[in-house]
Amino acid sequence: MNQKNLLVELFVEELPPKALKSLGDAFTQALLKGLQAQGLAGADAVATPYASPRRLAAHVTAVAAQAPDREQLVKLMPVAVALNTEGQPTPALLKKLSALGADASVLPQLQRRSDGKAEALFLQSTLRGAALADGLQKALEEALAKLPIPKVMSYQLADGWSSVHFVRPAHALVALHGADVVPVAALGLQAGRATHGHRFEAAVDPVVLLDADSYAQQLQQEGAVIAGFDARRAEIERQLQAAAAREGLKPIEDAALLDEVTALVERPNVLACQFEKEFLEVPQECLILTMKANQKYFPLLDAAGKLTNRFLVVSNISPEDAGAVVQGNERVVRPRLADAKFFFDQDRKKTLASRVPGLAKVVYHGKLGTQGQRAERVQAIAHAIVNQLRLATVPYTVDAKDEFDVLDSKAKEAALLAKTDLLTDMVGEFPELQGIMGGYYARHEGLRDGVAIAIEDHYKPRFAGDALPRNHTGTVLALADKLETLVGLFGIGQLPTGDKDPFALRRHALGVIRLLVEKNLPLSLHELVAQAVPPFGELIANPGAALLDFFYDRLAVSLREQGYSAQEVDAVLALRPERLGQVPKRLAAVRAFSALPEAASLAAANKRVGNILKKSEGGAAAAVDTALLQESAEAALFEALQAVAPKADSAFEAGDYQGSLQALAALKAPVDAFFDHVMVNAEDAALRANRLALLGALHGAMNRVADLSRLAA
């Protein structure tokens, strides 16, 4: 079998940068699978993607010039149709054979087999393996059809009549099997061995490829192009770090920006630039965002993480004197920074409080009213949260200067002002800065200690791994804001479906969960949801049950992602614990209990007890009557339960969930003996009711921390 490495490249006009990597990977994988499906590439073939702004390419190892032949058994037709009463072939059979390139001479070779319904005739034939030209043509067409193109373009070919639909106009096609051109065609192009390098800096044009394996090297040496996306990204990162080190600074870390810049250049050249220091008076988040989003620059930070007036540019050209390029980029960024400074200065001329009436003119949702009405609801929910903290069974300690009345007042003030920065020029230009700018403007006005931080933090956590609010007021406000969103949208039926979640309700739910768990707040999730409903009045239906289910589903997913087993999570969440801050301790206790030698037996017994009690439904006595404990095994279980239950309950009340569960280990022997020697469903109704009462007490004692039956195999 003649195996050589294969290269296929499409040379195109500039591809959409945010989609470039996914297009390159998808093209390569689809091409590989197409070749493997036809037997032209083996399972061990290695496919390497290449993607630059003007090309998509794939290199595949060990591709055969001809796929091996393979035997196949072709079903012809039922015997009753294929042969007449005398056993001779019917015209239908002869026609079928002719279509397959055979004739009556193969009749002795036909096989009779059942097809599951009736006896049929089958023809054993040899299917010739695909030639590379044909197989690659098919694989290439399928790969192009399956590309995840964000938006298709239509353009005409040189003949002026034919139209092609693709992500960008294509100008050249390369297909090399070793050093040989494979005669395939795509997008109106015939394959050859010539491609093009850098638009301005290629040493030769076109770049004529020697063979499939010389692709990357020739493009870099002759075409001034680093064809591999990952290789180009690594080179940019290396240059960024080196350039920053020369300045004694560090570049901002942003993987998405690095990916996008990698997709914009073919020959990266990192240059250091600067802007006037006066712009540093503007909040650094504004400057960083405008440099990254609008210019694709990398701001430079000092050792403390503070923005400096230096930044890095990734240029696509490498002139001997880069001064003009540096000056050009410095000239371009200046108006952007000036705009940010203008917005900041203008916004500070109005107080946040003066913007509150304007919220009544901003629609939040057609069915839920304005941002002004929303702010009032968040205020009411925040007040309810503070009261729940005040009355919590487990004392919640706030700062000495921040008693509950003060916390309530701060939370109300922050809730009223939290959305006012939506009306500022800066947030109008950069919506990503909402909350952050509110915090800056609140500090500028000298608002009470903690209010500015709460306004800045009330969107937190914004994403997985994001920091939580830094103070009590921010925690209360973040909870209230997220609960208002969830209750309101669930109340009007705007639930997430499948992968569609336009209002980011899954993220909001995880935010509530993280706040309750990681800050170990003594708050009941059920009460939080219930108290968030009344502020909506008649606008919504009560979403209580559906929203609680949503919370526990999201919590279960989050816990499994953290490494807890499905059984452990199921056991704890089956009890729907209201204080989510207790969940990690309960899980740890369940994990420790599962390691005990008695665990499996007790979990199985617990499951059996639960099933018995479900079937009895109300047949149990109100309490165990010791006079009716006739069997020694049931008396022994009662005595063991009387000894163990107080210890387990005491540990539970003290929050020692592990100790509570471990105390149950002493019940293994009496529980096993009970089921070995006692008939629960006795004929005597009083005995049966008493034994059910005993099992009910056992079930209650065993399932305070978690539903242990969920641990049974």
Side-chain angles (χ1 to χ4, degrees), residues 600-613:
S601 177
L602 285 172
N606 191 58
K607 185 174 184 179
R608 185 175 178 182
V609 170
N611 290 335
I612 292 171
L613 292 175

Side-chain angles (χ1 to χ4, degrees), residues 404-472:
F404 285 109
D405 288 343
V406 177
L407 177 60
D408 189 33
S409 174
K410 286 184 177 180
K412 286 181 178 178
E413 181 182 7
L416 181 68
L417 302 177
K419 304 298 180 185
T420 53
D421 68 353
L422 297 176
L423 303 176
T424 64
D425 291 338
M426 187 70 83
V427 174
E429 180 72 13
F430 300 112
E432 302 92 332
L433 295 177
Q434 55 190 283
I436 294 171
M437 296 313 303
Y440 274 107
Y441 297 142
R443 277 188 286 274
H444 171 72
E445 294 174 29
L447 295 184
R448 280 190 295 175
D449 179 47
V451 172
I453 291 176
I455 291 172
E456 181 178 338
D457 286 359
H458 82 279
Y459 288 106
K460 294 181 179 178
R462 296 172 185 252
F463 50 85
D466 191 19
L468 298 182
R470 291 164 285 177
N471 63 14
H472 300 295

Side-chain angles (χ1 to χ4, degrees), residues 583-596:
V583 168
K585 287 178 65 178
R586 292 185 183 228
L587 283 165
V590 167
R591 181 166 288 182
F593 172 78
S594 298
L596 296 176

